[in-house]
Amino acid sequence: KAGVTQTPRYLIKTRGQQVTLSCSPISGHRSVSWYQQTPGQGLQFLFEYFSETQRNKGNFPGRFSGRQFSNSRSEMNVSTLELGDSALYLCASRKQGATDTQYFGPGTRLTVL
Amino acid sequence: EDQVTQSPEALRLQEGESSSLNCSYTVSGLRGLFWYRQDPGKGPEFLFTLYSAGEEKEKERLKATLTKKESFLHITAPKPEDSATYLCAVQGGAAGNKLTFGGGTRVLVKP
């Protein structure tokens, strides 16, 4: 069974640009969550999508947004990139139950210059 | 707000030297406590889910336990391939389905 896939794996952007990251969940999983991981802040929750609706949002500015498609695939977008947005962006999927385990993808390493 | 603190931050072990990692948490209505392993440059790999105090789970050389305030990950007779960062996360009733993570414990097992 294929795991969570994320594309691209690596990205280099400059300040002010925008970026779109993609996540394909495990087959049959309907919920997708996004997390940001940095050395200073660790893993922080960005948002969760279920059935194409945002269910929950973390404490990030509005420059961070996302969406989910009918096939459960998800994208997140970061506009007007800042140096501090450099991080590993992780996507996690779960089936749908409230206590279902979240399984993580390999992440997208974003570097902002 | 849910909070998770892991200790120690780093742990150096000799192969075969057993040890324990601690995860202390405060959460409003614990729905689950999760342990993950993360290798450098990779996403977290799921290890265990614990739901209620007194619960224990084992997998190879790893054993996770849960009390009302903390969880322990015991590593028995570790091998160099157990070297990784171990992450603890909680899912609280008031926070939807988001996971709140601790800072992790970096474990290095030397042969």
Side-chain angles (χ1 to χ4, degrees):
Chain A
K1 194 173 186 179
V4 178
T5 58
Q6 293 187 244
T7 56
R9 293 294 314 280
Y10 303 92
L11 264 179
I12 299 176
K13 293 285 187 179
T14 56
R15 280 180 298 174
Q17 288 187 308
Q18 76 166 21
V19 66
T20 299
L21 313 181
S22 181
C23 171
S24 292
I26 294 171
S27 178
H29 286 198
R30 297 175 61 189
S31 166
V32 172
S33 295
W34 289 89
Y35 294 81
Q36 181 196 65
Q37 187 174 31
T38 60
Q41 299 297 318
L43 267 152
Q44 294 186 291
F45 172 78
L46 281 157
F47 27 66
E48 180 197 11
Y49 285 87
F50 182 84
S51 292
E52 302 178 64
T53 302
Q54 187 179 90
R55 285 286 191 87
N56 201 357
K57 191 176 191 306
N59 294 326
F60 280 83
R63 300 185 296 106
F64 292 81
S65 63
R67 59 178 175 168
Q68 187 180 33
F69 302 95
S70 58
N71 61 358
S72 295
R73 191 177 69 85
S74 177
E75 289 181 347
M76 70 162 280
N77 184 277
V78 187
S79 62
T80 319
L81 284 166
E82 301 177 359
L83 295 178
D85 296 333
S86 294
L88 182 66
Y89 289 88
L90 292 159
C91 167
S93 79
R94 63 181 181 88
K95 282 187 180 179
Q96 65 180 65
T99 54
D100 285 340
T101 297
Q102 293 187 31
Y103 295 91
F104 285 83
T108 294
R109 170 73 62 187
L110 172 64
T111 302
V112 182
L113 303 176
Chain B
E1 186 176 324
D2 301 342
Q3 291 189 330
V4 179
T5 303
Q6 292 187 246
S7 62
E9 289 187 8
L11 193 58
R12 295 167 66 100
L13 301 171
Q14 286 296 131
E15 185 172 1
E17 178 188 2
S18 300
S19 188
S20 295
L21 283 55
N22 178 265
C23 170
S24 297
Y25 64 90
T26 55
V27 64
S28 176
L30 180 70
R31 290 161 60 190
L33 184 142
F34 302 82
W35 282 98
Y36 290 87
R37 167 198 169 120
Q38 187 175 28
D39 294 305
K42 296 187 177 181
E45 174 189 344
F46 171 70
L47 293 173
F48 304 109
T49 307
L50 302 168
Y51 294 105
S52 57
E55 191 173 359
E56 299 182 351
K57 288 194 176 171
E58 281 188 76
K59 178 182 177 180
E60 296 181 354
R61 296 177 293 283
L62 301 176
K63 179 179 177 180
T65 62
L66 180 65
T67 72
K68 289 186 177 180
K69 293 183 178 180
E70 56 192 350
S71 176
F72 292 93
L73 184 66
H74 308 278
I75 309 178
T76 302
K79 298 182 177 181
E81 52 262 43
D82 295 322
S83 298
T85 295
Y86 291 86
L87 296 163
C88 171
V90 296
Q91 185 178 32
N97 295 318
K98 79 169 192 178
L99 296 178
T100 299
F101 281 86
T105 295
R106 293 188 313 278
V107 175
L108 175 63
V109 182
K110 304 185 76 174

